Amino acid sequence: MKESFTLELQKLYDDSHVSSLVQEVCEYYASGLDYEDGSYMEEIEPREIFEPVYILFLLQRRESYLDEFSYIRKKYPHLFTSVEQLYEDILIHMDVNALEKTNADKLSSALDNKITSDEIFDKINSLCMQKDDISDALDGFCSWIHNFYS
């Protein structure tokens, strides 16, 4: 990963203003920038799966996470460039239900339709209600997805 991203990520992980989910998202997107040739596929989770997953989880507390990304834009401008498009996509979609539906459909398709959009919604909602920390809910969701491919 580029040194400028690495330095800002190190600072970000020590910053109490940023949740663990947003830290993870920033690291994921920043690390993907170093693999423009597609070679990242063996080192990080596939984008066709994780981009919709991250969006679906960020939408659970949309306003709060948008505030965190705004903070990152001011405090860590270089790092923000890696998540800027994600931020813009979430910010401009006022119809959150449509954005959720689109991303649940993308995820279902990326998972070869082994899991339906409705099952995805139900699982995310259930996990987010059970867990205080969205990152824990995300971990549970990822484990649930991996069970379909074990």
Side-chain angles (χ1 to χ4, degrees):
M1 184 180 309
K2 295 178 183 168
E3 187 175 336
S4 55
F5 286 135
T6 303
L7 292 173
E8 284 193 350
L9 276 171
Q10 289 172 343
K11 292 176 187 175
L12 182 73
Y13 277 110
D14 292 332
D15 194 326
S16 62
H17 294 97
V18 183
S19 67
S20 57
L21 175 62
V22 172
Q23 291 170 347
E24 179 180 335
V25 169
C26 288
E27 180 179 6
Y28 181 82
Y29 279 83
S31 64
L33 291 178
D34 283 344
Y35 300 96
E36 294 173 1
D37 62 356
S39 64
Y40 67 86
M41 294 302 291
E42 293 181 18
E43 295 188 35
I44 63 175
E45 297 287 350
R47 290 215 182 272
E48 64 272 6
I49 293 175
F50 270 79
E51 285 183 8
V53 167
Y54 283 139
I55 289 172
L56 289 167
F57 275 88
L58 290 169
L59 290 174
Q60 295 297 310
R61 297 185 183 146
R62 181 179 180 266
E63 296 304 319
S64 174
Y65 291 133
L66 286 174
D67 288 345
E68 288 183 41
F69 283 119
S70 293
Y71 172 81
I72 291 168
R73 178 177 26 202
K74 292 174 190 162
K75 184 116 178 177
Y76 310 101
H78 188 70
L79 181 59
F80 182 76
T81 62
S82 67
V83 294
E84 185 171 10
Q85 188 59 55
L86 171 68
Y87 170 80
E88 294 295 328
D89 289 345
I90 294 172
L91 179 66
I92 64 170
H93 282 88
M94 290 306 185
D95 183 359
V96 173
N97 293 330
L99 186 57
E100 284 179 328
K101 174 82 171 115
T102 298
N103 281 281
D105 289 345
K106 283 182 188 178
L107 180 55
S108 178
S109 178
L111 298 170
D112 300 323
N113 296 311
K114 292 181 180 181
I115 307 170
T116 67
S117 296
D118 289 339
E119 290 172 317
I120 290 167
F121 282 129
D122 291 344
K123 190 63 174 180
I124 289 173
N125 288 331
S126 171
L127 287 168
C128 287
M129 287 174 41
Q130 293 171 9
K131 308 285 184 183
D132 291 333
D133 185 345
I134 293 275
S135 290
D136 292 339
L138 174 64
D139 290 343
F141 184 76
C142 292
S143 294
W144 181 70
I145 287 175
H146 285 290
N147 286 336
F148 284 91
Y149 292 97
S150 310

